[in-house]
Amino acid sequence: VLTDKKSLTAMMGIENGIVEIENIMSETFSAVRNSLLPVLMGVLAKNRHHDYPQRIFEQGKVVLRKGEEVVEKDSLALVSCHSKAEFTEMKQYLNFLMASLGLSYELKHLQHQSFIKGRCGEIMVNSSIVGIIGEISTEVLVNFGLENPEAAVELNLSAILQKL
């Protein structure tokens, strides 16, 4: 659950919502992850020498800061990295996953610094935000040393399980 602050913020193009560790022993473990996407981006960065396509996922705990409150939730993230990775591919995975759970959803346009403008959306179930989907921005790809396009989805499993 611990990771470095830089990959959560500067490398992803965002600066808020993280829980930092006081009296850190190492910059490598200076914050509690607020998203699984930076972790997956790091995995892809370390595996650039392997063949493409690369499609990976992770399920686990994340911690968000909302003002003075700290909230823990279960999250699921999927990332696809290859020369033709795009929004539609991630939407197909999302469609399958939501149908398997018997849930219907809608997408609402979202501007997010980690994603390409116009290629990102909030995932809504019963008018509640349960995730984000989109194509990772060029700036973020460069920050992680990645050359191929990436599409990603991250879901708040805690919120989705409440909808079942």
Side-chain angles (χ1 to χ4, degrees), residues 3 5 22 31 71 81-82 96 118 124 128-129 135 138 147:
T3 190
K5 178 183 174 184
E22 289 185 14
V71 179
C81 181
H82 55 90
F96 177 79
M124 311 281 289
S128 297
I129 300 168
E135 294 178 20
T138 304
E147 296 177 3

Side-chain angles (χ1 to χ4, degrees), residues 120-137:
C120 177
E122 289 178 320
I123 303 163
M124 311 281 289
V125 173
N126 299 333
S127 301
S128 297
I129 300 168
V130 298
I132 188 169
I133 185 172
E135 294 178 20
I136 302 295
S137 75

Side-chain angles (χ1 to χ4, degrees), residues 24-35:
I24 59 171
M25 300 292 279
S26 165
E27 288 293 323
T28 305
F29 305 110
S30 59
V32 182
R33 64 186 182 185
N34 61 349
S35 170

Side-chain angles (χ1 to χ4, degrees), residues 97-163:
L97 182 60
M98 295 303 235
S100 297
L101 294 171
L103 293 172
S104 59
Y105 74 94
E106 61 182 279
L107 294 178
K108 181 180 173 190
H109 178 72
L110 175 69
Q111 291 285 87
H112 190 286
Q113 303 90 320
S114 299
F115 295 88
I116 296 172
K117 189 176 183 177
R119 299 216 172 238
C120 177
E122 289 178 320
I123 303 163
M124 311 281 289
V125 173
N126 299 333
S127 301
S128 297
I129 300 168
V130 298
I132 188 169
I133 185 172
E135 294 178 20
I136 302 295
S137 75
T138 304
E139 293 82 11
V140 172
L141 294 176
V142 168
N143 290 342
F144 282 92
L146 298 164
E147 296 177 3
N148 282 305
E150 287 186 33
V153 63
E154 185 160 3
L155 298 168
N156 178 343
L157 288 181
S158 299
I160 289 173
L161 292 175
Q162 291 177 352
K163 306 291 181 189

Side-chain angles (χ1 to χ4, degrees), residues 25-87:
M25 300 292 279
S26 165
E27 288 293 323
T28 305
F29 305 110
S30 59
V32 182
R33 64 186 182 185
N34 61 349
S35 170
L36 296 177
L37 291 179
V39 177
L40 294 180
M41 300 288 292
V43 169
L44 291 170
K46 290 177 182 155
N47 287 285
R48 289 183 294 237
H49 60 285
H50 290 288
D51 292 336
Y52 291 92
Q54 293 182 26
R55 295 179 180 98
I56 59 175
F57 71 95
E58 182 176 355
Q59 181 274 322
K61 300 275 185 205
V62 297
V63 177
L64 301 173
R65 178 179 296 282
K66 294 184 178 181
E68 292 300 312
E69 186 180 4
V70 175
V71 179
E72 182 180 295
K73 65 180 183 172
D74 285 304
S75 190
L76 171 68
L78 303 94
V79 176
S80 181
C81 181
H82 55 90
S83 63
K84 297 183 182 183
E86 63 175 352
F87 186 92

Side-chain angles (χ1 to χ4, degrees), residues 9-20:
T9 57
M11 292 179 73
M12 292 299 290
I14 55 178
E15 293 297 329
N16 56 357
I18 67 166
V19 175
E20 293 185 61

